[in-house]
């Protein structure tokens, strides 16, 4: 089985969110099952070309537009250099040529693939690579939805620039919907999200289409890479620890607080946040409960994130009201994100919706109690702690009361050191590795291959039926 896996971001080369981590860790897990996985991604401006090995170059035709590409490789990832389109700082540009960038990328990758040994499956991720499922009709195709909130919607003019007529895309709204309609198999990143997106409340306008494809729609939880997110060996944290040496986690906490300029006190609870600052992550219900606990509880809150102005302002406001208790670092910082997982006791992730979520699983691996809303992948990965069983704190309703209740439960539990350690050990024992999850993708690939075979034998039969019958001498 040979699979071409397309992703807009791949850690450690480029990363905005969880997809980068999935694109870095799922392909190796599938290779361990014998699948020949090749990952394709743009060479974004921040990826240093001198560290890559050149492969080939060519030009793809996209509706009359010539897309010049150069392919490079490193660590089984093929990087596509598209002059003028991807030599930029940001992975997602949201500028006026976003459609040309990603459609151009899909055309370039497929053009390159034609010169390679045949792939059995094209596996595209999110709308940016979804066009590949629409274009590649002679191969099995799998499309994974990592986030229904980003659909790649464009004007009829923009669509025609990338070779699509508005009619083709009409029923599907955008490139995400087009990929959902075109792919042989569709997956998303948790079973609960797979159900939620088939409802009008969770479907972001695509629930009808998703229901129509429900027989081919599978929810598979993301896994995490224990080589990268593991407090026993993580090179990005100062002190390593395991469930047997949790006291060393306190030392990471001291380093974290010192770095963030917050005073340390023995046994003080630290609440961490690492997130894109967008409505999806639930920041609209955070200010009230945080302000309350910051004024009545001697706790520390450490926030790392970037995104929308109003959330940046909110955290700045809270930091100026409680400079000894809350510190906010704006930006993207891989090292600090690991230190926050290691040095916090509690991790806040009150998402409005969450396809899967990785940070709650990273938190569990680091013995940090996630406080989450019961939604999407959070509902599938965190069990509310009952004193004996469970590995986090879960609230249901998306409101300040719900979040305040769960955070209160977490802080109260933390007062009882023994009890809190029961939760920490439960959390650290949860197996979120890809080992049990990657085989589910293999199964999906097999189903896509079957579809492709059936399609090709049907078209062979149709061609044969159209051929005029051979005349025989007796006639
Ligand atoms: P999403 O993909 O929706 O952002 P996930 O929980 O799946 O959510 O993954 C987020 C990933 O991005 C995690 O690895 C998290 O540590 C990382 N991340 C988010 N914001 C930042 C940031 N400001 N700095 C460093 N890493 C971040
Ligand atoms: C998306 C989702 C997140 C998921 C990640 C990786 O960015 O928002 O929930 O974990 O993709 O699948």
């Amino acid at each position: 089985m040979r699979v071409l896996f397309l992703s807009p971001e791949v850690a450690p080369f480029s990363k905005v969110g969880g997809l980068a981590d999935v694109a870095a860790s799922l392909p190796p897990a599938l290779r361990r099952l014998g699948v020949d996985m090749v990952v394709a991604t743009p060479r974004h401006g921040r990826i240093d070309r001198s560290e890559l090995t050149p492969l080939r170059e060519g030009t793809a035709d996209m509706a009359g537009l010539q897309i010049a590409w150069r392919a490079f490789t490193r660590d089984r990832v093929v990087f596509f250099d598209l002059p003028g389109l991807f030599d930029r700082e940001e992975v997602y540009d949201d500028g006026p040529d976003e459609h040309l960038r990603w459609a151009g990328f899909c055309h370039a990758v497929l053009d390159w693939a034609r010169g390679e040994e045949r792939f059995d499956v094209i596996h595209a991720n999110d709308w940016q690579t979804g066009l590949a499922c629409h274009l590649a009709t002679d191969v099995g195709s799998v499309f994974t939805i990592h986030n229904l909130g980003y659909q790649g919607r464009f004007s009829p003019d923009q669509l025609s620039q990338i070779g699509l007529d508005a009619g083709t895309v009409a029923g599907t709204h955008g490139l995400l919907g087009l990929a959902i309609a075109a792919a042989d198999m569709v997956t998303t990143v948790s079973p609960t999200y797979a159900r939620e997106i088939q409802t009008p409340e969770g479907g972001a306008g695509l629930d009808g289409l998703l229901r129509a494809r429900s027989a081919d729609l599978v929810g598979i939880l993301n896994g995490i890479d224990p080589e990268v997110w593991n407090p026993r060996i993580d090179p990005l944290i100062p002190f390593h620890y395991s469930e047997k040496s949790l006291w060393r986690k306190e030392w990471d906490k001291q380093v974290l607080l010192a770095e963030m300029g917050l005073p340390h006190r023995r046994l003080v609870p630290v609440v961490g946040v690492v997130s894109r600052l967008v409505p999806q992550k639930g920041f609209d219900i955070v200010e009230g409960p945080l302000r309350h606990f910051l004024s009545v509880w001697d706790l520390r809150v450490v926030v790392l994130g970037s995104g929308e102005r109003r959330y940046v302002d909110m955290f700045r406001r809270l930091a100026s009201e409680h400079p000894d208790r809350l510190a906010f670092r704006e930006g993207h910082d891989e090292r600090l994100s690991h230190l926050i997982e290691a040095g916090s006791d509690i991790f806040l992730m009150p998402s409005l919706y969450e396809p899967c979520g990785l940070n709650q699983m990273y938190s569990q691996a680091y013995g940090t109690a996630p406080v989450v809303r019961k939604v999407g992948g959070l509902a599938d990965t965190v069990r509310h702690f009952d004193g004996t069983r469970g590995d986090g704190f879960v609230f249901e309703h998306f409101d300040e009361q719900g979040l305040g209740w769960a955070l209160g439960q977490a802080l109260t539990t933390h007062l009882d050191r023994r009890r809190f350690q029961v939760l920490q050990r439960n959390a650290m024992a949860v197996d979120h590795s890809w080992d049990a999850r990657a085989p589910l993708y293999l199964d999906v690939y097999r189903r896509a291959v079957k579809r492709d075979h059936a399609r090709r034998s049907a078209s062979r039969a149709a061609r044969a039926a159209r051929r005029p019958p051979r005349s025989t001498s007796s006639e």
Side-chain angles (χ1 to χ4, degrees):
M1 173 86 72
R2 220 168 114 72
V3 177
L4 179 57
F5 185 96
L6 284 74
S7 178
E9 41 179 305
V10 181
F13 307 105
S14 56
K15 175 166 173 177
V16 175
L19 174 53
D21 287 5
V22 171
S25 55
L26 172 58
L30 282 158
R31 278 182 208 124
R32 291 195 287 276
L33 298 174
V35 185
D36 182 10
M37 299 289 295
V38 176
V39 177
T41 195
R43 187 198 66 89
H44 297 287
R46 290 188 196 198
I47 304 172
D48 185 357
R49 206 167 22 205
S50 69
E51 291 178 5
L52 312 175
T53 309
L55 290 175
R56 288 192 284 125
E57 54 185 74
T59 305
D61 179 88
M62 177 169 78
L65 214 67
Q66 301 306 303
I67 306 287
W69 56 263
R70 276 182 293 173
F72 295 81
T73 189
R74 181 173 163 181
D75 303 340
R76 309 231 49 199
V77 178
V78 181
F79 297 88
F80 288 82
D81 209 352
L82 271 58
L85 294 180
F86 283 100
D87 30 16
R88 302 181 190 178
E89 279 289 289
E90 304 298 332
V91 170
Y92 307 108
D93 188 86
D94 296 333
D97 63 352
E98 198 67 346
H99 60 303
L100 295 175
R101 280 162 33 92
W102 295 106
F105 171 71
C106 293
H107 277 275
V109 172
L110 295 178
D111 194 45
W112 167 84
R114 273 177 222 116
E116 297 289 302
E117 186 190 330
R118 186 176 192 281
F119 288 98
D120 301 291
V121 174
I122 301 266
H123 182 174
N125 293 276
D126 274 354
W127 77 258
Q128 291 84 358
T129 62
L131 185 63
C133 294
H134 174 75
L135 296 173
T137 47
D138 57 347
V139 58
S141 62
V142 175
F143 181 65
T144 298
I145 303 165
H146 293 266
N147 198 329
L148 209 62
Y150 303 86
Q151 299 195 354
R153 295 188 180 202
F154 298 105
S155 69
D157 271 358
Q158 289 173 311
L159 292 173
S160 78
Q161 285 171 4
I162 59 173
L164 294 171
D165 66 277
T168 312
V169 186
T172 65
H173 303 309
L175 296 184
L176 183 97
L178 188 68
I180 293 170
D184 288 311
M185 293 293 297
V186 179
T187 78
T188 188
V189 288
S190 69
T192 296
Y193 193 60
R195 286 192 295 277
E196 289 169 349
I197 59 180
Q198 296 183 60
T199 67
E201 304 76 50
L206 293 178
D207 49 295
L209 174 63
L210 286 158
R211 280 195 303 277
R213 297 237 44 194
S214 68
D216 313 317
L217 172 62
V218 184
I220 304 175
L221 269 181
N222 287 331
I224 70 176
D225 186 344
E227 311 255 306
V228 179
W229 292 95
N230 181 346
R232 297 157 195 86
I233 54 169
D234 186 343
L236 299 179
I237 64 174
F239 298 102
H240 293 152
Y241 59 89
S242 71
E243 63 290 349
K244 297 201 189 81
S245 54
L246 279 169
W247 70 89
R248 293 173 62 94
K249 186 172 163 64
E250 283 293 313
W251 303 347
D252 287 315
K253 179 190 288 189
Q254 289 187 26
V255 174
L256 171 64
L257 292 179
E259 179 167 336
M260 300 298 286
L262 295 174
H264 178 259
R265 185 181 54 79
R266 214 174 92 76
L267 302 183
V268 70
V270 174
V271 178
V273 175
V274 178
S275 188
R276 294 184 294 117
L277 301 179
V278 293
Q280 174 194 345
K281 300 297 176 177
F283 293 111
D284 289 318
I285 56 168
V286 160
E287 186 164 11
L290 269 192
R291 179 170 288 120
H292 167 73
F293 283 109
L294 284 164
S295 48
V296 303
W297 209 286
D298 189 18
L299 83 174
R300 306 288 177 267
V301 182
V302 172
V303 181
L304 167 65
S306 64
E308 293 184 19
R309 192 80 258 148
R310 56 192 162 134
Y311 303 127
V312 170
D313 290 344
M314 171 180 85
F315 283 120
R316 288 208 180 126
R317 208 155 48 232
L318 289 169
S320 72
E321 288 167 22
H322 298 278
D324 283 344
R325 291 192 172 164
L326 184 142
F328 170 50
R329 176 84 56 86
E330 188 183 0
H332 193 97
D333 186 334
E334 195 63 25
R335 185 195 55 84
L336 185 57
S337 75
H338 285 243
L339 182 59
I340 291 176
E341 289 292 5
S344 303
D345 302 285
I346 295 165
F347 191 92
L348 201 59
M349 202 166 168
S351 304
L352 175 61
Y353 75 92
E354 196 61 76
C356 178
L358 298 178
N359 276 116
Q360 81 282 12
M361 297 193 271
Y362 297 153
S363 297
Q364 290 169 331
Y366 282 71
T368 302
V371 170
V372 304
R373 190 163 91 88
K374 192 172 181 182
V375 71
L378 299 174
D380 293 338
T381 52
V382 183
R383 305 276 152 269
H384 189 75
F385 184 59
D386 66 3
T388 325
R389 283 164 311 174
D391 40 49
F393 299 92
V394 184
F395 66 101
E396 265 185 56
H397 299 290
F398 187 72
D399 54 33
E400 295 196 335
Q401 285 78 2
L403 170 54
W405 171 80
L407 186 54
Q409 293 270 308
L411 290 167
T412 315
T413 306
H414 185 263
L415 290 172
D416 182 343
R417 211 173 154 71
R418 286 244 174 100
R419 208 171 134 92
F420 197 74
Q421 284 186 355
V422 172
L423 178 154
Q424 289 182 299
R425 297 207 169 93
N426 291 350
M428 293 176 88
V430 180
D431 179 10
H432 285 306
S433 70
W434 279 108
D435 298 346
R437 299 171 189 175
L440 303 175
Y441 275 99
L442 182 53
D443 191 47
V444 167
Y445 291 163
R446 291 197 175 115
R447 289 173 67 183
V449 167
K450 263 196 203 154
R451 287 281 167 81
D452 174 47
H453 286 175
R455 190 172 42 240
R456 281 190 291 146
S457 57
S459 75
R460 267 196 307 274
R463 270 199 309 277
R466 281 199 302 273
R467 236 176 267 144
R470 274 194 214 134
S471 56
T472 55
S473 52
S474 60
E475 280 170 349

